[in-house]
Amino acid sequence: MDAPIHPFSEIFKQLGLSDDPVEIERFIATHSPLPDDVKLVDAWFWSDAQRAFLKEAYIADADWIPMIDQLNEALHASKK
């Protein structure tokens, strides 16, 4: 059985954030770039519930991991 594939915007909805493309861009622009030594899960802007979701997704090897990885890459990318 294939794992469900979630669009990138759904990770924002899952985290209780807006899944509107403009809001997603704003969130990434506001919170990036994360320093290389800061793990996504340790970023200062997550609530306890958001942080728990991110941690639990990795522990459970959940189908959210590709979107979380994409979010991690986007937030660690340098501003141009």
Side-chain angles (χ1 to χ4, degrees):
M1 182 170 158
D2 292 331
I5 298 174
H6 301 283
F8 185 54
S9 61
E10 281 190 25
I11 192 65
F12 288 85
K13 195 173 191 179
Q14 187 68 21
L15 289 165
L17 303 169
S18 174
D19 61 346
D20 176 74
V22 172
E23 292 301 316
I24 290 172
E25 276 189 44
R26 184 175 292 132
F27 180 87
I28 292 170
T30 300
H31 296 96
S32 66
L34 284 178
D36 290 339
D37 63 338
V38 175
K39 294 180 183 178
L40 178 67
V41 73
D42 295 331
W44 60 92
F45 47 81
W46 299 126
S47 69
D48 290 341
Q50 291 167 323
R51 186 171 286 108
F53 167 77
L54 294 168
K55 285 180 182 180
E56 289 168 13
Y58 268 99
I59 291 169
D61 196 24
D63 59 345
W64 290 105
I65 292 175
M67 281 65 57
I68 294 171
D69 286 344
Q70 186 177 352
L71 179 59
N72 183 50
E73 289 178 27
L75 288 169
H76 278 95
S78 295
K79 292 184 181 179
K80 298 189 177 178

